[in-house]
Amino acid sequence: MTAATHSTLFPQVPDSPDAVLEGLDPEQREVATALHGPVCVLAGAGTGKTRAITHRIAYGVRAGILQPASVLAVTFTARAAGEMRGRLRQLGAAGVQARTFHSAALRQLQYFWPKAVGGSMPRIVDRKVQLVADAAAACRIRLDRNELRDVTAEIEWSKVTQTVPGDYALAAAKAGREAPRDPAEIAQLYTVYEDLKRDRAVIDFEDVLLLTVAVLQDRQDIAEQVRSQYQHFVVDEYQDVSPLQQRLLELWLGDRDSLCVVGDASQTIYSFTGATPDHLLDFRTRHPGATVVKLVRDYRSTPQVVRLANGLLAQARGRAADHRLELISQRDSGPEPVYTEYADEPTEAEGAARRIRDLLDAGVPAAEIAVLFRTNSQSETYEQALADAGIPYQLRGAERFFDRPEVRKASVALRGAARFGANDSLLDDVVDLPSQVRAVLSGEGWTSEPPAGSGAVRERWESLAALVHLAQDFAAAKPGATLADLVAELDERANAQHAPTVQGVTLASLHSAKGLEWDAVFLVGVAEGMMPISYAKTDEQVEEERRLLYVGVTRARRHLHVSWALTRAPGGRPNRRPSRFLDGLRPGTAGAEGRAAAGGGAGGVERGFTSRRESAPRRTQRTPARCRVCGRTLIDAGEMKLMRCETCPSDMNEGLYERLRDWRAEQARRSGQPDFCVFTDRTLMAIAEAEPSSPHELARIPGLLKRKLDRYGADVLAICAGQEIEESENED
């Protein structure tokens, strides 16, 4: 849910330029009135950056300083661009172009292709992964599904960083990227991928930017034509621009400086795609005369949520951390963040569903609640838990609202009713606009009560319900509005991709939640190995994971629940620990009390449930060992060591397993013994699955005797932590 859709009213268009500025705080007003020269807005989460820049554009247009058609506002998602167009329309600045980099570039490329190249523009390839698979087949390289995805991501990264195949290996090493295959193989695949595109006369998404850059560089006449069209630029989320996008922006600008950029280095979370905050942080260096405005008044979150967000960044390191913004909450006090530990992931999901039900019963709308997780694979458990609890939900990242088939059909039905309603028996007994909409949409599948369960039927109903709610808001804001007026409003919203609110709890990854906000947010799975993710090894990667959690925290307006599970499946070994990012912030960790006191209070704590029933004291008697995947009782010693059936899938860290094997071989060589005398393969496998981070966690792995723990424990823990082992260690 965005700030734009948070209000259910349709605001009146301001009647003058000065009216556009009403309600802005001093810093936002400074942004809105700084219409000349380069401007850099450093805007913390929840500080109203979109409000500031849309009012800036609207004020310039309404004051006659900016011509609508000469302004190009660029951002990074179609949703954000749609929201910006919707806000500008409400402020009386229709006609301003608000697009993504790719959308703006594609329009220019399509228009200028016949003049710059000749003929028709190549088709944009639908499935890049399939083309990569074809390249792999041509190279006789076998890639599984995950490798296909990862190699495709490497090719995308290469292109947005303007890296050619021959330079890939060196560029990847310099950037600290962990290549999914041998760099030479990826370079070969990249080369053949480009050859296949050329042979098939297709281009990919990144080519749109590359070709637009090439045209503007090579054809001065076309570059001048674009610059005569667009004379003022606004770039949102500037911390996420890639080198290629920055180059395109420079070509659009030419030698002018009518540029306003907005960003927050502490929200840089897309470096894996080539994004870098350096352009934001170096803006004053490139533009010495720039106006720099810092927005730190947080209008979104309560002081309790802001305190946690500031605490996260206070522990950060690196260049982005050096430029962090200390947020100051402008809201009334609210509840403290709640930290909950659960026995396993299904229990964690049930606990979240239970708390969500409590919020719904307390009057919090479902659309104002979100469950955020690190990876999309975590979604299914929460979908099931919410469906079991009868709670409506929507998955973030699905197709755009106005592109959904049921919304298209509903729009056609409403348009038909607006034209020929006098002959429609459905409308005989209804007079007000909301009743008319409900009557029309009842023929499309809408009912006053939602269907049971989840899935496609429920999603279709939620889409139609969103149109019903929109009609109610429209009628309340514009008394006397007709069905034809509503259809016109829907058309404008569809053109702007300004979607109404869907009534359902949002399930989303932390990455896809960027730019959104809710009254209540559940951050789930906040445990080591997931936050930070296990493959975040370098300091830079770990710091980006911290920023990702910061983004998650700052999505919450009032209620914030942070949780983690000790193991993945019921019956599994409880070897997980809360994320290191929470150390010193959650109660019970070193420094937490001092930090809380400095901020004015301590966080609330609630231990999780171990089942649907009330929690009970932990039993001390020995219970049968059960498979942590399927729950079957284990009797085989080898299976008991792994805590899973031999046939159940393993979640082993393959890289860790190989490092342990190499270390074991060296230990065996030194002692003159067979490898298994150090540790058996099954023991190494158990360690690689558990990934222990302390002597206590290592000792809990079945079959590890004290003698071996004393001799090898320090080495094993160091390897699990990704550290190098000194050659002199453990010598007899």
Side-chain angles (χ1 to χ4, degrees), residues 100-386:
T100 64
F101 271 101
H102 281 88
S103 173
L106 180 59
R107 279 171 60 90
Q108 293 174 19
L109 194 62
Q110 289 171 329
Y111 182 81
F112 289 112
W113 187 274
K115 181 178 180 180
V117 182
S120 57
M121 198 181 93
R123 178 178 62 86
I124 299 177
V125 67
D126 295 325
R127 296 191 67 245
K128 191 182 302 178
V129 169
Q130 184 57 56
L131 206 57
V132 175
D134 293 345
C139 295
R140 299 181 181 274
I141 297 175
R142 296 191 61 178
L143 300 176
D144 62 28
R145 185 171 60 180
N146 290 332
E147 288 176 321
L148 269 175
R149 179 198 62 204
D150 292 343
V151 169
T152 301
E154 288 303 294
I155 292 175
E156 291 173 349
W157 173 82
S158 299
K159 300 184 78 165
V160 300
T161 55
Q162 303 177 81
T163 301
V164 298
D167 295 339
Y168 168 77
L170 183 61
K174 186 177 180 181
R177 294 183 73 83
E178 192 169 325
R181 301 279 298 207
D182 181 271
E185 283 188 333
I186 294 179
Q188 181 186 6
L189 289 167
Y190 183 8
T191 300
V192 175
Y193 169 83
E194 292 295 314
D195 291 341
L196 287 176
K197 282 199 294 119
R198 195 176 304 108
D199 293 344
R200 299 177 186 182
V202 296
I203 60 176
D204 62 25
F205 207 45
E206 289 69 41
D207 288 332
V208 172
L209 297 183
L210 284 164
L211 290 170
T212 306
V213 165
V215 168
L216 296 178
Q217 284 181 159
D218 295 344
R219 293 290 299 267
Q220 186 66 24
D221 57 330
I222 293 177
E224 290 302 326
Q225 192 172 341
V226 171
R227 291 167 192 159
S228 67
Q229 168 72 49
Y230 297 117
Q231 295 156 18
H232 187 86
F233 296 86
V234 177
V235 184
D236 194 11
E237 305 289 2
Y238 193 55
Q239 76 279 353
D240 289 330
V241 295
S242 68
L244 180 57
Q245 289 165 331
Q246 175 64 22
R247 180 59 185 144
L248 178 59
L249 178 62
E250 290 167 354
L251 289 166
W252 282 338
L253 270 170
D255 58 1
R256 299 165 300 173
D257 63 359
S258 187
L259 170 67
C260 174
V261 300
V262 190
D264 178 9
S266 295
Q267 296 188 67
T268 305
I269 58 174
Y270 298 109
S271 66
F272 59 91
T273 67
T276 171
D278 289 345
H279 305 300
L280 175 68
L281 299 178
D282 294 337
F283 190 83
R284 195 69 178 270
T285 303
R286 295 196 314 276
H287 303 277
T291 298
V292 178
V293 183
K294 294 183 180 180
L295 303 182
V296 296
R297 303 176 197 247
D298 189 324
Y299 297 95
R300 176 188 300 160
S301 304
T302 63
Q304 289 75 11
V305 174
V306 167
R307 185 184 304 124
L308 175 57
N310 286 337
L312 277 171
L313 291 189
Q315 302 178 14
R317 300 290 181 269
R319 192 178 183 210
D322 292 340
H323 294 79
R324 63 179 175 268
L325 299 169
E326 187 86 6
L327 300 177
I328 304 171
S329 176
Q330 305 297 299
R331 294 196 55 177
D332 292 337
S333 184
E336 292 288 347
V338 175
Y339 303 88
T340 310
E341 183 175 279
Y342 292 96
D344 50 64
E345 289 181 7
T347 305
E348 184 181 9
E350 291 168 5
R354 198 163 39 241
R355 291 183 176 280
I356 289 170
R357 172 55 66 191
D358 291 341
L359 289 171
L360 295 174
D361 292 343
V364 179
E368 289 291 357
I369 303 173
V371 179
L372 306 182
F373 32 74
R374 177 61 180 83
T375 66
N376 287 319
S377 62
Q378 296 168 269
S379 172
E380 185 176 357
T381 304
Y382 290 89
E383 292 178 54
Q384 187 62 54
L386 292 176

Side-chain angles (χ1 to χ4, degrees), residues 408-468:
R408 288 178 178 273
K409 287 185 61 180
S411 298
V412 170
L414 289 170
R415 183 171 289 105
R419 287 181 181 174
F420 311 111
N423 300 319
D424 193 335
S425 60
L426 282 172
L427 304 181
D428 286 348
D429 299 323
V430 294
V431 290
D432 63 281
L433 178 59
S435 298
Q436 291 175 335
V437 172
R438 286 192 291 267
V440 173
L441 296 187
S442 65
E444 301 299 322
W446 180 82
T447 57
S448 58
E449 294 295 327
S454 58
V457 174
R458 181 58 180 257
E459 290 178 10
R460 284 195 295 271
W461 184 89
E462 296 288 356
S463 296
L464 298 178
L467 294 175
V468 171

Side-chain angles (χ1 to χ4, degrees), residues 486-505:
L486 177 65
V487 168
E489 172 69 20
L490 288 176
D491 287 343
E492 288 195 43
R493 281 175 167 258
N495 290 333
Q497 286 299 329
H498 185 195
T501 302
V502 176
Q503 293 300 318
V505 173

